[in-house]
Amino acid sequence: MNPAKKNAEFIESKGYVAEVVRTRRKKSATIKVEDGAVSVVVPKELTLEKIYLLVEAKHLWIVEKLAIHADAQPAREKEYVSGEAFPYLGRNYRLKVQQGDYTPVKLNQGRLVVTIPEDINKPHFTRNALVRWYKRNAERKIREKVKRYEKIVGVDTGVIRIKSFKSRWGSCTPYGDLEFNWLIVLAPNRIVDYVVVHELCHLKHHDHSPQFWKEVERVMPDFKECKDWLKANSQGLVV
């Protein structure tokens, strides 16, 4: 394994970049490979040197997991090159791919800009960088919307998680925990509102009874248009 380039947030290795996620809730380190992206969840004070050694020790396992994910992915129309458009909350943003030390995707002057190493699978790596950006912004935006709409619906929420689902946009538990599919932020802003309101209303009605839909309509009189849009366009919400 070649020596990794290190900085405060990411560890560059041969073929991938591992994102360092520090948290006070963890006493031990965990490596995750989700949606083709590698993250290392570690205790807040763990040194970067020790994190690097952990990634190095798990290098073959990480590479195998990435290969399995790549083989399982359907063929995509996107090439993940400069000039391609990617939607976010109803607007399209052009991608700009630069070469150099890894820099996460940033929205800069209407462009999604990412810098990636030269010795790497560019389309696969660029997609992973975009996935990280979408997940990060999905968590921020959805939390904002939950905070806004929970007061209107009149419910208290618990833990909010951003996840990957194959066939649903959200879910909830009777305890107020909410989970949302990060891909929903590829849809227009109002559609994201609808998904958030839908799950919040399930905290009052745990089914799709007439009472449930009446509550959704009280909060969002135009919910039927949003529901129909999502049904017609959900297959196109992919990165």
Side-chain angles (χ1 to χ4, degrees), residues 42-199:
V42 301
K44 192 77 173 179
E45 306 303 327
L46 192 65
T47 67
L48 200 59
E49 296 296 331
K50 291 183 177 179
I51 299 170
Y52 165 68
L53 292 175
L54 175 65
V55 173
E56 184 179 35
K58 289 286 189 179
H59 177 71
L60 290 179
W61 178 84
I62 293 170
V63 171
E64 289 174 358
K65 286 287 187 181
L66 290 171
I68 291 171
H69 176 269
D71 290 343
Q73 290 302 296
R76 300 181 186 276
E77 295 181 0
K78 296 288 188 182
E79 296 181 14
Y80 309 100
V81 296
S82 294
E84 282 187 310
F86 289 84
Y88 175 65
L89 298 178
R91 288 187 59 188
N92 279 327
Y93 297 93
R94 296 289 176 179
L95 178 64
K96 183 178 180 180
V97 182
Q98 303 176 150
Q99 288 191 341
D101 289 344
Y102 175 67
T103 304
V105 173
K106 295 180 180 179
L107 184 56
N108 186 13
Q109 297 182 339
R111 288 183 175 270
L112 294 170
V113 182
V114 60
T115 305
I116 63 174
E118 293 184 15
D119 58 340
I120 210 155
N121 184 323
K122 292 181 177 58
H124 176 73
F125 193 87
T126 302
R127 178 184 180 274
N128 289 346
L130 284 166
V131 168
R132 293 183 196 274
W133 184 85
Y134 275 111
K135 284 186 173 182
R136 194 164 59 245
N137 282 276
E139 182 154 9
R140 176 182 60 83
K141 182 60 64 174
I142 288 173
R143 286 183 182 276
E144 289 175 359
K145 291 181 179 295
V146 169
K147 185 176 181 180
R148 171 190 170 192
Y149 280 108
E150 67 179 355
K151 298 175 183 178
I152 301 173
V153 177
V155 294
D156 294 321
T157 57
V159 177
I160 299 170
R161 301 183 185 90
I162 305 302
K163 301 189 69 173
S164 298
F165 292 119
K166 290 185 178 180
S167 59
R168 56 180 173 174
W169 297 109
S171 67
C172 70
T173 72
Y175 308 104
D177 294 347
L178 301 175
E179 297 180 337
F180 295 95
N181 188 334
W182 61 272
L183 284 168
I184 193 59
V185 294
L186 275 73
N189 194 54
R190 190 60 172 165
I191 307 303
V192 185
D193 286 345
Y194 164 68
V195 170
V196 169
V197 170
H198 186 112
E199 296 307 326

